[in-house]
Amino acid sequence: MELHQISEPTGDPFFDALRRRHPDVDVVLLPPEPPPAPPAATVDEAAAHAALAQVQDLAGRLWSGAARDSEESPRSCYRYGAGPGAVRAVAGVATRRRDGFHVLVALRHALESDGWALTRPPGAVERLVAHLDDLTVTASYAEEAGALLCEVSSESLEVGPDAARRLVRGGER
């Protein structure tokens, strides 16, 4: 950001009068703020349903490959996204397993093999976060409790406030 100190007339009556009356006061003008980003393009509910099917399919494939003997399967739903008229498609599993660390390792291997950008956030709980295009995978394992969480989510999709409420309140699929 570039700052401009007023030392000579600016052409603005307010700041020119201020400078004349109070030459001992430093006045700094900030450049105008950039205009707000244009709102995201609104998608129809069919696009939101396609995103939900995509995350459900991916979560199912990842889970069945990493937790082969699991009786659980990912459940999908819509959650509110970034803004009042936005949703995210989410599918995931939350369970307790003794072999949760091995499941995380298997998930990490599968994601790396498919070209996902992975990070391992620091902390007491084993976690991984992966991004590819407009999808995010998060997984964590708390060894002491045996709690394992694996979730796939889409980017925020602008559907409008009424559709967002309807989709989120529609519950799990």
Side-chain angles (χ1 to χ4, degrees):
M1 176 181 352
E2 187 178 328
L3 303 176
H4 301 281
Q5 188 166 10
I6 301 175
S7 57
E8 43 192 66
T10 64
D12 182 294
F14 174 80
F15 289 111
D16 289 344
L18 178 69
R19 188 71 183 143
R20 268 193 321 275
R21 292 181 186 156
H22 303 283
D24 57 326
V25 174
D26 286 331
V27 178
V28 177
L29 293 179
L30 298 175
E33 291 185 15
T42 302
V43 299
D44 59 12
E45 287 186 42
H49 293 316
L52 188 66
Q54 180 185 22
V55 298
Q56 176 66 36
D57 177 59
L58 178 60
R61 284 186 288 121
L62 286 171
W63 186 252
S64 65
R68 295 171 197 236
D69 61 342
S70 179
E71 294 179 16
E72 294 95 356
S73 60
R75 298 180 65 117
S76 61
C77 65
Y78 294 102
R79 293 194 188 142
Y80 287 110
V87 296
R88 290 182 310 120
V90 178
V93 175
T95 188
R96 291 189 185 275
R97 296 178 62 105
R98 287 188 170 164
D99 66 341
F101 183 76
H102 298 291
V103 173
L104 281 185
V105 170
L107 281 170
R108 181 182 190 96
H109 177 71
L111 292 166
E112 284 177 334
S113 297
D114 288 342
W116 289 71
L118 268 112
T119 58
R120 185 175 169 246
V125 174
E126 291 292 332
R127 296 177 30 197
L128 68 89
V129 178
H131 298 281
L132 182 67
D133 299 328
D134 60 350
L135 297 174
T136 301
V137 175
T138 57
S140 62
Y141 176 63
E143 185 175 10
E144 217 170 281
L148 177 66
L149 171 69
C150 177
E151 184 175 274
V152 178
S153 62
S154 72
E155 68 181 355
S156 195
L157 303 167
E158 185 67 37
V159 293
D162 293 335
R165 277 191 298 277
R166 189 172 46 256
L167 291 169
V168 170
R169 291 180 183 163
E172 294 184 347
R173 307 238 177 244

